[in-house]
């Protein structure tokens, strides 16, 4: 597993999400109350950018497009796409799929991510 530099901790304000490209991967990096987390940058439903989404309760990321919700720490689907009404008809070709997650660490004010 390779460890790659993301950037300065000060550039990741608490409660926000930021898009980063690290070692050829597009990531969404989240600054939560207990630390920093990273997932793949695109929603597993129809690939909307998760950095345009909304963090809910310091725990979930809600995709802005069809409102799928994922646990940021585990990547698990909490609620699948359900907006606007009728989008569920598409879901038989877009089954629930968790986000990939990547461990983030902080060393001397710098964030690092482990990508396998
Ligand atoms: S693209 Fe994210 S919920 Fe549809």
């Amino acid at each position: 597993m390779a460890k790659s530099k993301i950037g300065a901790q000060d550039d990741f304000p608490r409660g926000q999400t930021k898009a980063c490209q690290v070692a050829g991967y597009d990531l969404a990096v989240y600054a939560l109350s207990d630390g920093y987390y990273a997932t793949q940058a695109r929603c597993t439903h129809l690939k909307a950018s998760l950095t345009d989404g909304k963090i809910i309760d310091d725990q979930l990321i809600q995709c802005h497009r069809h409102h799928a919700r994922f646990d940021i720490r585990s990547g698990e689907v909490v609620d699948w796409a359900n907006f606007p009404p009728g989008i569920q008809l598409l879901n038989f070709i877009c089954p629930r799929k968790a986000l990939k997650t990547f461990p983030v660490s902080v060393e001397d004010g710098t964030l690092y991510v482990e990508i396998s």
Side-chain angles (χ1 to χ4, degrees):
M1 194 173 281
K3 194 157 125 180
S4 302
K5 182 177 175 178
I6 299 175
Q9 185 177 11
D10 290 346
D11 292 337
F12 294 82
R14 185 76 21 114
Q16 294 187 23
T17 307
K18 191 170 178 180
C20 297
Q21 189 172 52
V22 179
Y25 286 83
D26 290 321
L27 303 177
V29 178
Y30 310 86
L32 302 184
S33 62
D34 63 347
Y36 301 88
Y37 298 86
T39 69
Q40 64 187 80
R42 297 269 169 191
C43 179
T44 53
H45 182 236
L46 290 174
K47 302 189 185 322
S49 171
L50 291 171
T51 54
D52 294 330
K54 182 166 104 179
I55 294 177
I56 298 172
D57 294 338
D58 194 47
Q59 180 180 4
L60 308 177
I61 182 69
Q62 176 176 287
C63 178
H64 76 282
R65 190 168 293 168
H66 308 114
H67 297 187
R69 292 181 176 186
F70 303 89
D71 186 297
I72 293 168
R73 292 169 178 84
S74 70
E76 292 299 318
V77 176
V78 175
D79 292 306
W80 198 225
N82 59 23
F83 178 84
I87 192 70
Q88 293 89 342
L89 295 173
L90 254 186
N91 290 346
F92 77 97
I93 58 167
C94 302
R96 294 166 74 105
K97 185 177 178 189
L99 297 173
K100 288 183 187 161
T101 60
F102 304 89
V104 176
S105 57
V106 183
E107 293 175 27
D108 298 327
T110 300
L111 300 187
Y112 294 89
V113 63
E114 292 181 32
I115 296 177
S116 55

